[in-house]
Amino acid sequence: MFRVILHLDMDAFYASVEQRDDPALRGQPVIVGSPPTQRGVVCAASYEARKFGVRSAMPSATAGRLCPSGIFVRPRMDRYREESRAIMRIVAATGAVIEQMSIDEAYADVSALCQGPDADASLLQAMPLARKLKEQIRAERQLTATIGVAANKLLAKIASDHQKPDGLTLIAERDKVQFLRPLPVRILFGVGKVTEQVLQRAGVRTVGDLQDYAGDLRALVGSFGPKLKQFAFGEDDRPLELGDDIKSISGEETFLKDTDDRKILRACLREQAADIATRLKRRRLGAHTVQVKVRYGDFKTLTRQISVEEPLTEANDIYRMGCVLLSRGKLVSRPLRLLGLGVSNLREPGAQQLPLF
Ligand SMILES: [Mg+2]
């Protein structure tokens, strides 16, 4: 499968939310942060304020000097978080697998939705999807987003940084090496101030310099060297970090009337298994462990689980394991008040387990 990754980055997020919520701020140099008379810093600045050189993390007093017409607004973090959730819901509704990087930034893996005959054809298929996503965010949230499209996280992020605000940039596999050449090394993931200085002292300023560098980068940047060389050529196999929030997926149902009717119980398991399989597919995961949970009329609750070597992805398989657990544990010895089915121990199916050294 060809990888297709979007990097979505909201434009001047805090300031844009403020400008949206208060029409009087639109088109104005808005500075989100403490007022310049107080000791404090700038949290964010609108594009109008950035023209004056105002940047986030700058002391408010400096920002006030640079931009005397600046309108200072106190940050409303709760409001931004709420907005962030609404935007991420829109992204998730595309069916993408999401790694949220910050309040206004996320990677979305849309590989499953965009497969063409080759890598670049697959990337091209993501363009209508990205356009639609931008339009939807504009229509539903009255905010603009910039999206980068590429075959990996490194390039998708570079693509979204390339043209802002309201941008949409695709870096094709065919063009990536040339695209990166003129850019400063600083844009590569893992190159901070210190590494940048080390590289500059060795005469390496652009990514092109890095591509051409004949010496051993290890001598300059240690064990990061080989990875850095790969990044310079636009290669990056870092997976999306899906976080700890999806250690398991489960569903349960409480019956209107306690039941031991096998037909009803099987139908219930079947439905839960189908739901679980859909959610696994969306995240491109398989499950090594299946669990059933039963509760009787007296609220006594039992769980039984089973683990398998090959990750399960199909509803039918998950359903079958559920049935096995119910009958093997003789759990339906009396009517059930509740029946639940869940999976855990989630992995990417087919992904080789790394040997533990
Ligand atoms: Mg942003």
Side-chain angles (χ1 to χ4, degrees), residues 215-278:
D216 188 357
L217 283 172
R218 266 180 240 256
L220 297 179
V221 299
S223 60
F224 182 42
K227 202 89 214 159
L228 183 59
K229 194 82 179 183
Q230 286 176 18
F231 286 168
F233 285 94
E235 277 152 32
D236 173 21
D237 55 9
R238 283 174 300 146
L240 264 65
E241 307 279 348
L242 298 179
D244 294 332
D245 50 335
I246 43 162
K247 282 199 171 114
S248 65
I249 297 174
S250 64
E252 52 185 44
E253 184 166 2
T254 302
F255 302 107
L256 288 173
K257 212 171 124 234
D258 296 359
T259 181
D260 56 2
D261 184 331
R262 298 296 197 276
K263 240 163 90 187
I264 292 176
L265 297 178
R266 273 202 291 271
C268 173
L269 279 184
R270 204 179 273 286
E271 206 176 296
Q272 288 167 347
D275 178 50
I276 289 168
T278 306

Side-chain angles (χ1 to χ4, degrees), residues 19 51 66 100 106 130 136 150 162 174 182 215 245 293 297 308 316 336-337 353 355:
Q19 288 177 318
K51 280 188 199 137
L66 287 170
Q100 188 169 352
Q136 212 177 341
H162 188 67
R174 162 168 23 87
D245 50 335
K293 172 174 162 184
V308 291
N316 242 329
L336 303 183
R337 173 185 166 76
Q353 287 239 33

Side-chain angles (χ1 to χ4, degrees), residues 61 96 163 189 268 299-300 311 346:
Q163 191 210 349
F189 178 78
C268 173
F299 280 84
K300 181 176 177 184
L346 308 182

Side-chain angles (χ1 to χ4, degrees), residues 9-13 104-105 164:
D9 187 4
M10 299 303 294
D11 301 323
F13 185 55
D104 77 319
E105 221 184 315
K164 273 179 110 4

Side-chain angles (χ1 to χ4, degrees), residues 304-307 321-331:
R304 293 285 182 274
Q305 64 176 46
I306 188 168
S307 289
M321 303 307 274
C323 292
V324 167
L325 285 167
L326 272 192
S327 61
R328 201 175 65 178
K330 298 192 173 54
L331 296 180

Side-chain angles (χ1 to χ4, degrees), residues 38-335:
Q38 290 175 17
R39 280 201 309 205
V41 294
V42 173
C43 297
S46 72
Y47 285 98
E48 294 85 354
R50 291 181 193 191
K51 280 188 199 137
F52 292 87
V54 178
R55 296 284 178 270
S56 57
M58 173 183 276
S60 291
T62 310
R65 266 200 309 279
L66 287 170
C67 182
S69 58
I71 303 172
F72 283 79
V73 176
R74 293 245 180 228
R76 296 181 297 159
M77 289 313 298
D78 287 347
R79 184 83 175 122
Y80 310 146
R81 269 192 287 270
E82 185 189 322
E83 187 58 47
S84 170
R85 279 194 293 273
I87 290 159
M88 294 304 157
R89 271 199 297 274
I90 294 175
V91 182
T94 61
V97 177
I98 299 173
E99 175 187 2
Q100 188 169 352
M101 301 303 291
S102 67
I103 193 164
D104 77 319
E105 221 184 315
Y107 289 105
D109 185 331
V110 294
S111 311
L113 311 169
C114 304
Q115 285 298 299
D118 59 46
D120 282 338
S122 304
L123 291 179
L124 269 179
Q125 290 201 10
M127 290 302 269
L129 191 149
R131 269 187 218 107
K132 204 175 139 211
L133 195 53
K134 277 161 60 73
E135 276 164 25
Q136 212 177 341
I137 291 171
R138 189 198 306 276
E140 292 177 24
R141 312 307 311 169
Q142 291 84 49
L143 293 171
T144 63
T146 291
I147 296 180
V149 181
N152 58 51
K153 286 164 77 169
L154 173 85
L155 292 172
K157 169 97 169 84
I158 291 171
S160 77
D161 285 341
H162 188 67
Q163 191 210 349
K164 273 179 110 4
D166 204 12
L168 175 57
T169 303
L170 181 152
I171 301 179
E173 284 291 281
R174 162 168 23 87
D175 306 328
K176 64 183 180 184
V177 177
Q178 282 306 316
F179 186 98
L180 292 171
R181 275 198 81 78
L183 303 176
V185 287
R186 187 68 193 269
I187 59 123
L188 295 179
F189 178 78
V191 178
K193 242 189 192 128
V194 175
T195 307
E196 184 184 32
Q197 281 167 4
V198 169
L199 291 171
Q200 278 184 351
R201 261 182 259 128
V204 176
R205 289 195 163 71
T206 64
V207 179
D209 293 339
L210 255 184
Q211 291 171 356
D212 300 340
Y213 190 76
D216 188 357
L217 283 172
R218 266 180 240 256
L220 297 179
V221 299
S223 60
F224 182 42
K227 202 89 214 159
L228 183 59
K229 194 82 179 183
Q230 286 176 18
F231 286 168
F233 285 94
E235 277 152 32
D236 173 21
D237 55 9
R238 283 174 300 146
L240 264 65
E241 307 279 348
L242 298 179
D244 294 332
D245 50 335
I246 43 162
K247 282 199 171 114
S248 65
I249 297 174
S250 64
E252 52 185 44
E253 184 166 2
T254 302
F255 302 107
L256 288 173
K257 212 171 124 234
D258 296 359
T259 181
D260 56 2
D261 184 331
R262 298 296 197 276
K263 240 163 90 187
I264 292 176
L265 297 178
R266 273 202 291 271
C268 173
L269 279 184
R270 204 179 273 286
E271 206 176 296
Q272 288 167 347
D275 178 50
I276 289 168
T278 306
R279 287 154 74 186
L280 282 172
K281 283 212 176 77
R282 203 177 295 155
R283 299 183 170 91
R284 287 206 281 148
L285 292 172
H288 283 282
T289 302
V290 177
Q291 177 180 283
V292 293
K293 172 174 162 184
V294 297
R295 181 170 295 148
Y296 303 100
D298 59 1
F299 280 84
K300 181 176 177 184
T301 304
L302 294 176
T303 62
R304 293 285 182 274
Q305 64 176 46
I306 188 168
S307 289
V308 291
E309 195 179 311
E310 289 294 320
L312 305 170
T313 54
E314 298 305 316
N316 242 329
D317 296 336
I318 297 165
Y319 164 69
R320 215 157 26 78
M321 303 307 274
C323 292
V324 167
L325 285 167
L326 272 192
S327 61
R328 201 175 65 178
K330 298 192 173 54
L331 296 180
V332 199
S333 52
R334 51 194 173 114

